[in-house]
Amino acid sequence: MSLGAIDFGLIVDGAVIIVEAVCHHIGVMKDRYKGRLLTQAEMDQEVFDSASKIRNSAAFGEIIIMIVYIPLFTLVGIEGKMFKPMAMTVFFAILGAFILSLTYVPMASALFLSKKTEHKRNISDKLMDKLNNFYRPIITKSLNWSKTLIISMVALFAVSVFMFNRMGGEFIPNLEEGDFAAEISMAQGTSLSQMIKSCSQAEKILKEQFPEVKQAVSRIGSAEIPTDPMPIERADMMIALIPKKEWTSAKTKEELMEKMEKAIGEIPGLGVEMTQPIQMRTNELVTGIKQDVAIKIYGNDLEVLSSSANKIASLIKKVDGVSDPFVEKVTGLPQVQVTYNRDQLAKYGISVKDANMVLKTAFAGNEAGYVFEEDRRFDLVLRMDNDLRNNISSLENLYLPLSSGGTIPLSQVAEIKYEDAPAQVTRENGERRIYVGFNVRGRDVQSTVFDIQNILDKEFKLPAGYYYTYGGQFQNLKEAKDRLMVAVPLALLLILFLLYATLKSVKESLFVFSAIPLSAIGGIWALWLRDMPFSISAGVGFIALFGVAVLNGIVLIGQFNIFEKEGMTNIRERVIEGCMLRLRPVIMTALVASLGFLPMALSTGDGAEVQRPLATVVIGGLLTATALTLVVLPSIYKTFTKNKQE
């Protein structure tokens, strides 16, 4: 992420503006030198004059690009781990470029640029002529429709915001790890031998039916060092796969997961949920739950918690994007319960203590004496045979001694039956908790959870004292969004302050600032066209985009101001000439920044899922920001500057 984010286009932006200004200045001054070669002293002076004029705009533009990365330093958790190193890398890279563009670039321009004041027309000249001929009528006509154009842009921005709110969102796009993990569960109280048999059967099915499977290994229950506590009836199966291009059973990760889930699900009593190893572990580290999203229910009574969780699972399982919901098993452990009839015990003169002693001896064992082997002594423990202990009828026929010397079966003084008992009690923040977990497939997390919220608000009510919350990736997304909602406006205010420091005018600062909503339009449409939901990765893309979008605006407004100082009073002429003069650097800065992000936008390698939204936003935003800066910004300038001049 750190190296991938170094967009060389951003780094050279400042240098592009300066070198272009120098070349343009020498071209304009050719009449003064009558076509002769410049001396080094003349070249130094030309570079100094041209770089000094534009340096202010370029320097502040680069500072603003650095400033917009500051909100990324506020991110914590997983998103902080992913994007902070990237923000620092870009920040220091642009800082280095900023220092070099103040020192090295003018010096290198003076030394190494051609000192000829005339050159043969080449392909770039012809290309710029075509662009100029194409752009001049557009800018001339657009100035006649300034107000209509501005209102249209406001309307387009409103539509884009509406689209953005309907777009859905996810925390960070799921990476394709290249391997799968299957969470396997069976009924509460399943024996270890049965669990081993079922897992081995599942592994065999996968290896036989799917040539994509290289290896499948199951881990049942908790390890010796219980870093991952699980009961015996739960297992994690790690499935190593061959490279994706060699797959034959399915084309996509989701399709192969569904087919595998269906194949293993045919084993009687086996529940399975497919995910990926790192994704599962990350979810568990962050929220304690292996699924992408969890609905956590808090309360005191385990029975109420269990029935509420089952009801939620039945309500949400038909929601689009929800895989089979998994309900945490807190009850259902089969238990033999002996309930004494105290009246009967009193009738026969048996105390509860004596009856418990017989039960304890039968099941846990009791000392009946000692056995000596030479100088060593061992307890002699008496208890029922293993087969008899699992049999209710043998327990019913267990004899209790009477004070009169006789015996009586336990069934005469107690009711003995199998009952489901609590299997585990999970607590969070001092309260009992149960969760319903599910993975999201083929849809974004935010839209899925919003649908679930609507269903639960209408159809699900909890008793007094009970409540539920959402955990997992949805919670992470919400927290990261909340943090960015504070950090991004602060960065935008800082940009506005820097614009004011550059242009010394609130009005002109706001003119340039209008490039930010114009660039957001392109970023939103680019995400929509590529069918990508908003993610923290796309959010980082918007942050990077705002800095570059402002740069072109500064260059244009700066040129208008230079013409104003030179005595050009006709605003329309000033705008048209300024735009024509700055067309080349504006297009170049936007193109080099976009092309720098192009490999990220089109990459399909490891980690591409996280980089793609970021690059898509920047490229889409820069394309619209450049087009709109060259057309809408002059209209804004003309509309709001006219009255003052006249």
Side-chain angles (χ1 to χ4, degrees), residues 379-391:
D379 291 337
L380 181 64
V381 176
L382 179 73
R383 67 178 176 194
M384 270 170 72
D385 184 62
N386 201 32
D387 294 338
L388 294 172
R389 271 185 286 162
N390 293 327
N391 189 339

Side-chain angles (χ1 to χ4, degrees), residues 296-300 305 428 431-433 465-469:
K296 301 177 180 180
I297 311 165
Y298 299 86
N300 285 321
L305 288 176
E428 197 173 302
E431 291 182 276
R432 286 182 176 181
R433 183 216 75 192
Y466 291 76
Y467 66 96
Y468 64 89
T469 62

Side-chain angles (χ1 to χ4, degrees), residues 295 297 306-327 436-438 443 448-462 468 470:
I295 301 168
I297 311 165
S306 183
S307 64
S308 300
N310 287 322
K311 188 175 180 192
I312 284 180
S314 66
L315 286 171
I316 69 170
K317 69 181 175 188
K318 289 174 186 169
V319 173
D320 183 28
V322 174
S323 64
D324 289 338
F326 171 82
V327 179
V436 182
F438 59 89
R443 199 178 178 203
T448 308
V449 174
F450 282 169
D451 283 0
I452 289 170
Q453 283 176 329
N454 290 335
I455 290 171
L456 296 187
D457 288 346
K458 287 176 196 167
E459 300 180 34
F460 181 70
K461 290 286 179 286
L462 280 168
Y468 64 89
Y470 294 89

Side-chain angles (χ1 to χ4, degrees), residues 606-628:
D606 296 341
E609 296 86 356
V610 177
Q611 294 180 340
R612 270 201 298 265
L614 190 157
T616 301
V617 166
V618 174
I619 293 171
L622 278 180
L623 291 176
T624 57
T626 306
L628 298 175

Side-chain angles (χ1 to χ4, degrees), residues 561-631:
N561 289 344
I562 288 170
F563 279 156
E564 190 180 359
K565 282 175 190 167
E566 289 174 357
M568 195 183 281
T569 51
N570 185 321
I571 292 181
R572 188 184 174 86
E573 187 188 340
R574 190 195 308 163
V575 167
I576 293 172
E577 290 310 312
C579 287
M580 295 310 295
L581 186 61
R582 287 283 153 237
L583 178 63
R584 186 164 65 173
V586 165
I587 288 178
M588 275 175 73
T589 50
L591 273 180
V592 290
S594 300
L595 291 171
F597 274 109
L598 203 59
M600 260 172 109
L602 302 176
S603 72
T604 53
D606 296 341
E609 296 86 356
V610 177
Q611 294 180 340
R612 270 201 298 265
L614 190 157
T616 301
V617 166
V618 174
I619 293 171
L622 278 180
L623 291 176
T624 57
T626 306
L628 298 175
T629 300
L630 288 169
V631 178

